[in-house]
Amino acid sequence: MNAPLREPQQDRSRATRERLLASTVDLLATRGWAATTVAKVAEEAGVSRGAAQHHFPTREALFTAVIEQMYDDMTEDVGHSLESIPSGPGRIAAVVEQAVSIYTGTSFKAALQVWAAAASDPALADLIRPLEAKMGRAAHAFVVSGLDPDGTRPQAYRLAQITLDLARGFGLADTLTDDSRRRTGVQAAWVEQLTAALD
């Protein structure tokens, strides 16, 4: 008899957890590591502190969950990106645009805060290192596939790495000020260089 009631309760619990994780990412990206407390996350998510602590009893539990979720989401987004890349003349520009968006979005800004904290926290560094490596491999595979869909251009591997390094640089430049105007011109110039190199 109670089974039908359990499902909505599980759905509400899942929704609460997702709100808490999303609020944590937003706070990390906009307020930083130190300001992202369980109490502030609960407030931003619109749930009680008790509800937050039910899901994440400690700040460490919250951060572990959010870091894993954040990197899983970024890795999954990279995997889906290839499906939306057009064939033909606009392909290279679309690949570069997608690579840049990986490193200029909210998740990357949140990840930067985690990286900075991990520089002096060996346990945190151990947690994020394999997640970062997995995401980096997915991003690189995506860019290589986008630049060289038929596997005939050996230089695509290195050009993909340069593209991702450039995208990460754009992401860093965008953390303190809106760098989109300058980025647009540099990105267009890089697309021209890539097109010439791959022709």
Side-chain angles (χ1 to χ4, degrees), residues 8 31 41 45 48 64 68 85 100 106 119 128-129 135 139 142 146 156 167 197:
R31 302 286 299 279
V41 167
S48 70
T64 299
E68 290 173 348
I85 297 300
V100 169
T106 301
I128 66 168
R129 222 175 267 119
M135 202 278 280
F142 157 71

Side-chain angles (χ1 to χ4, degrees), residues 44-56:
E44 291 292 313
V47 304
S48 70
R49 183 166 179 162
Q53 287 181 318
H54 168 73
H55 287 278
F56 305 106

Side-chain angles (χ1 to χ4, degrees), residues 5-187:
L5 297 174
R6 201 171 292 140
E7 192 61 41
Q9 187 177 2
Q10 286 175 344
D11 288 346
R12 281 196 305 275
S13 179
R14 190 178 307 115
T16 298
R17 187 177 193 280
E18 286 171 4
R19 280 204 315 274
L20 289 165
L21 291 174
S23 294
T24 305
V25 171
D26 287 342
L27 280 168
L28 279 169
T30 58
R31 302 286 299 279
W33 179 264
T36 306
T37 63
V38 175
K40 190 64 181 168
V41 167
E43 181 186 325
E44 291 292 313
V47 304
S48 70
R49 183 166 179 162
Q53 287 181 318
H54 168 73
H55 287 278
F56 305 106
T58 64
R59 188 172 188 253
E60 182 181 19
L62 172 64
F63 277 119
T64 299
V66 82
I67 289 164
E68 290 173 348
Q69 182 70 51
M70 193 167 59
Y71 277 102
D72 283 349
D73 288 349
M74 285 193 291
T75 303
E76 190 176 327
D77 288 347
V78 169
H80 290 273
S81 296
L82 201 54
E83 300 163 12
S84 63
I85 297 300
S87 56
R91 187 184 81 253
I92 291 174
V95 170
V96 173
E97 177 63 37
Q98 190 59 41
V100 169
S101 74
I102 293 166
Y103 293 103
T104 53
T106 301
S107 290
F108 180 72
K109 286 180 172 63
L112 280 177
Q113 295 293 327
V114 176
W115 290 359
S120 58
D121 184 337
L124 182 59
D126 287 344
L127 172 66
I128 66 168
R129 222 175 267 119
L131 298 170
E132 171 62 28
K134 180 182 174 187
M135 202 278 280
R137 285 191 301 272
H140 189 261
F142 157 71
V143 177
V144 170
S145 297
L147 296 180
D148 185 24
D150 52 7
T152 59
R153 297 169 179 85
Q155 71 271 41
Y157 187 90
R158 182 158 300 197
L159 291 171
Q161 191 59 62
I162 297 168
T163 300
L164 290 169
D165 287 346
L166 182 67
R168 272 189 291 270
F170 285 155
L172 288 169
D174 201 53
T175 54
L176 296 178
T177 59
D178 180 0
D179 192 52
S180 54
R181 188 170 176 180
R182 184 193 67 86
R183 182 171 70 232
T184 299
V186 177
Q187 187 173 318

